[in-house]
């Protein structure tokens, strides 16, 4: 009997974990449309299947302009850019880097990310949770190398080569979300209390005032 209870407990836990991710589709496709017309699935309305075209599953991604303070630019291909992704549980992004360009520390609250380098050399890494001691895992990647960033963990990519770099990120959600750590803390609307930030970072108000005046560019 104890074995039965144990199995039931495991099934309950795993089913709750699975429900936290994008649900599996029960139809061939559910192309997202903005109009309020059709079935509402995963936060989007479904286009009438009889009106679906090949273009609904197609998107062209050009190289991005990296002339910005970070020297990088992320071009997302999420459900908002590619309606055919709706209910399929995947997305991707192209990341362009100028020399020394940085995709700053950020998280994807709803997705694991797998990155492949198409050109250049990247120094990449992620930090584990408090539970695991905030350990830093890093690797230098060259063309053809692949690296995985677990769901929800803070991670980054830095171009350490002498030329431009390009990478493609695959994500395990049609809408993974992105939280850039510095921007979220220092550009929140309305602002986070200075008392909170000075105590959190163990800095004085003058240092905080200096940080708050910076541009904190959003490359997504």
């Amino acid at each position: 009997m104890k074995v039965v209870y144990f199995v039931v407990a495991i099934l309950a836990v795993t089913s709750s974990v699975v429900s936290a991710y994008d649900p599996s589709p029960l139809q061939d496709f559910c192309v997202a449309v903005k109009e309020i017309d059709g079935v509402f699935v995963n936060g989007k309305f479904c286009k009438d299947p009889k009106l679906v075209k090949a273009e609904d599953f197609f998107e062209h991604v050009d190289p991005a302009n990296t002339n910005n303070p970070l020297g990088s630019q992320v071009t997302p291909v999420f459900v908002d850019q590619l309606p055919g992704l709706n209910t399929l549980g995947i997305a991707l992004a192209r990341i362009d880097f100028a020399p020394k360009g940085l995709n700053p520390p950020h998280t994807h609250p709803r997705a694991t990310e797998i990155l492949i380098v198409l050109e250049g050399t990247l120094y990449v890494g992620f930090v584990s949770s408090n539970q695991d001691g905030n350990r830093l895992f890093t690797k230098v990647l060259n063309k053809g190398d692949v690296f995985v960033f677990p769901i929800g963990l803070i991670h980054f990519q830095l171009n350490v080569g002498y030329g431009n770099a390009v990478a493609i990120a695959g994500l395990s959600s049609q809408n993974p979300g992105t939280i850039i750590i510095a921007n979220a803390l220092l550009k929140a609307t309305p602002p986070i209390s200075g008392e909170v930030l000075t105590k959190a970072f163990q800095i004085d108000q003058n240092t905080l005032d200096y940080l708050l005046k910076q541009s904190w560019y959003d490359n997504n």
Side-chain angles (χ1 to χ4, degrees):
M1 184 61 69
K2 290 183 178 180
V3 173
V4 173
Y5 286 141
F6 178 76
V7 171
V8 170
I10 292 296
L11 288 174
V13 171
T14 55
S15 64
S16 65
V17 171
V18 170
S19 66
Y21 296 88
D22 293 356
S24 298
L26 299 178
Q27 65 285 321
D28 288 345
F29 45 76
C30 172
V31 173
V33 289
K34 295 180 180 179
E35 297 80 11
I36 303 176
D37 180 24
V39 180
F40 195 69
V41 180
N42 261 10
K44 303 289 182 181
F45 286 95
C46 295
K47 189 175 186 178
D48 184 340
K50 295 178 182 177
L51 302 178
V52 170
K53 301 177 292 185
E55 285 74 16
D56 294 319
F57 304 94
F58 173 81
E59 177 75 4
H60 178 78
V61 181
D62 287 315
N65 184 358
T66 57
N67 185 21
N68 59 61
L70 291 173
S72 73
Q73 190 66 46
V74 177
T75 304
V77 185
F78 299 172
V79 67
D80 286 337
Q81 290 79 36
L82 184 56
L85 284 175
N86 193 38
T87 74
L88 300 184
I90 58 170
L92 64 80
R94 173 183 172 127
I95 313 169
D96 289 277
F97 299 86
K100 307 306 176 186
L102 170 70
N103 191 16
H106 63 281
T107 72
H108 302 294
R110 294 179 291 275
T112 290
E113 175 180 335
I114 183 167
L115 185 89
I116 181 168
V117 178
L118 301 184
E119 295 292 342
T121 302
L122 298 178
Y123 169 69
V124 308
F126 68 86
V127 180
S128 68
S129 66
N130 296 1
Q131 178 181 321
D132 193 48
N134 298 128
R135 290 194 295 159
L136 174 64
F137 297 82
T138 64
K139 191 75 175 175
V140 174
L141 306 182
N142 294 297
K143 182 177 180 179
D145 289 343
V146 176
F147 197 81
V148 172
F149 306 101
I151 184 171
L153 297 186
I154 295 173
H155 58 284
F156 60 85
Q157 300 104 22
L158 173 68
N159 182 3
V160 293
Y162 295 101
N164 295 333
V166 181
I168 296 292
L171 299 129
S172 62
S173 171
Q174 69 177 41
N175 187 22
T178 301
I179 302 172
I180 300 175
I181 307 305
N183 296 30
L185 294 175
L186 299 171
K187 287 183 63 178
T189 306
I192 297 174
S193 164
E195 183 177 4
V196 171
L197 294 176
T198 53
K199 285 186 177 180
F201 291 114
Q202 296 294 290
I203 57 177
D204 59 31
Q205 186 63 46
N206 289 334
T207 303
L208 177 60
D209 290 340
Y210 170 80
L211 292 174
L212 291 172
K213 291 178 182 177
Q214 305 310 304
S215 62
W216 302 111
Y217 181 79
D218 183 355
N219 68 335
N220 282 259

